[in-house]
Amino acid sequence: MGYAGFMVETILAGIMTHVLETGLEFIDNQNPNGLPKLRGYNIIAGQLTVSGDGETFESHNPARLSDCLGEFPLSTKDDVSTALAAARAAFPGWAATPAPTRGQIIGNMGRLLMEHKDDIVALETREIGKTLKESAGSVQEAIDTCLFFQSEGRRLYGQTVNSELPDKELFTYRRPLGVCGIINACNFPAAVPFWKMIPAIICGNTCVWKSPQDAPLLSFALARIMHQAGLPDGVINLVHGKGSGVGQHLVDAVDEGKVNKISFTGSTAVGKMIGEVCGRNLVSVSLELGGKNPLVVMPSANLDNAVSGAYWSGFGTAGQRCTSLGNLIIHTDVYNEFMAKFMAEVESTTIGDSMRHDGVLYGPMLSEKYAVDFLAAIQTCEAGGATKLYGKGRITNDNKPAGFLGDASEGVYVWPHVYSDVTEDMECFHEELFGPAVTIVKADDFDHALHLANASPYGLSSAIYTNDRLEAYRFKTGIKAGMTGINNSTTGAEAHLPFGGVKDSGNGTRESGIWVIEAYSYWHAVNDELSGKLQLAQMDVDNIEMVEAEVDWGSLS
Ligand code: UN1
């Protein structure tokens, strides 16, 4: 039996038994791969619910559009209000639950994810088309996040602080913020919501999670696993729908005073809008936004490694990571040699449905909408004066690269694209294309390369290939970005390193690692007066007079 057959069985045996056993009905099983179409639900206060007006939307496999994963509630404003009320009701009990107990439940989530990893990975690939290898990376990132934070329940330290007055003690405590609105994109549908919700709940917050429109079944499976791990009802409430619907309702609820935190991963334009709403309400907001991530290749670099890093950064996940390569900045001295090797890689790219073909570099676009937006975005390249070296838009059976595997008419596939002669004055130098396209820029020397790397409005990730230690140091200190790879690709966050950007890539908050706790808690300073009287800070403090010097300092010299 091939891997694809194995997948069908594991999805049926694994996901169906363990995750969907809560009474989800099959709508039919007429899908071409034999997998069922399901009726999906919101999860509010632990209950499976439909939308208030009964409206639904479908989730389709982008590698095989005729494969429908299920129908999900197109949630209304009232559904979002109900979810927020459930999160508000669950908050006091969860905040009062000892933090080590909260950590134990998070540990259980990690262990359940490990137990069902193959099923979850297959489901992620079926729903958004990422390769199985990359889906496994995303699910592992969620597991790592659980395992990292489970023991933080035992380390949510405060401090004891000395008072300037006698018989008085000072303390600091971490306190939860309250109800958090969680909005994530569909490209890392397991890792990113866990980056947000695991630190949120370890701190004692409760959440309303708007699932990405293109990954509702995976989100449902993850939310079920969270509950199976022992999470009390109402701590995480899942609502499905569109960004312009449920997402907007969640943001509108900030104005109504129902939300204490928004954590958003998505476009810079939407992030700025959310930041404005949160700002005018003094509500905490974490924003992880777009990037036009530069990768610099210097003459001292190992060019083969640089080609591998640039190729993976640009075309892995079909370029649909926040950390994907945007501007590939190449020193003129190695331009021809690098480009010959790089283009050979690009032309050998294998593309297809990783459920049915081994070894593909990338699969379909995340959904039809991502393809349409990408194909519109790349129009700016040639229109702005760049030269197209490779790529012919959408892949069809009449228009496909040599490495395409399968029947192109079944899914949403696009060519890899490379544009050269890109300069700073072009729109495509500055704008994120969010798909398999790399814009190539020539640099005269190191200072020029660093200037170019800093010249886009974004500051998420960045990379340099060099074997000159001083150059690496100058790049690391001179680049304005949240993340930098030295002799490495622009991607590759780990669950214990801070992830996020500066400039138009975010508002300075971070995901991952211990620092993220700051984004989901506030410091509470407490003073305890034990003296039995009112003592005023600063005013009742003993002032110690200095003793006049009896030494004649001048006589010593
Ligand atoms: C994202 O694209 O939003 O480092 C997250 C990386 C991944 C996470 C990307 N581990 O590219």
Side-chain angles (χ1 to χ4, degrees), residues 353-369:
D353 177 4
S354 115
M355 301 278 268
R356 288 178 286 170
H357 303 283
D358 286 336
V360 295
L361 180 78
Y362 70 79
M365 297 298 278
L366 297 161
S367 71
E368 175 62 21
K369 185 183 180 307

Side-chain angles (χ1 to χ4, degrees), residues 185-212:
C186 73
N187 60 341
F188 279 82
V192 173
F194 274 63
W195 281 1
K196 297 176 183 301
M197 286 190 283
I198 297 303
I201 63 175
I202 194 73
C203 290
N205 301 286
T206 56
C207 299
V208 172
W209 174 21
K210 182 224 165 287
S211 71

Side-chain angles (χ1 to χ4, degrees), residues 135-148:
S135 292
S138 164
V139 174
Q140 187 59 45
E141 217 162 335
I143 294 169
D144 294 344
T145 300
C146 292
L147 300 186
F148 180 81

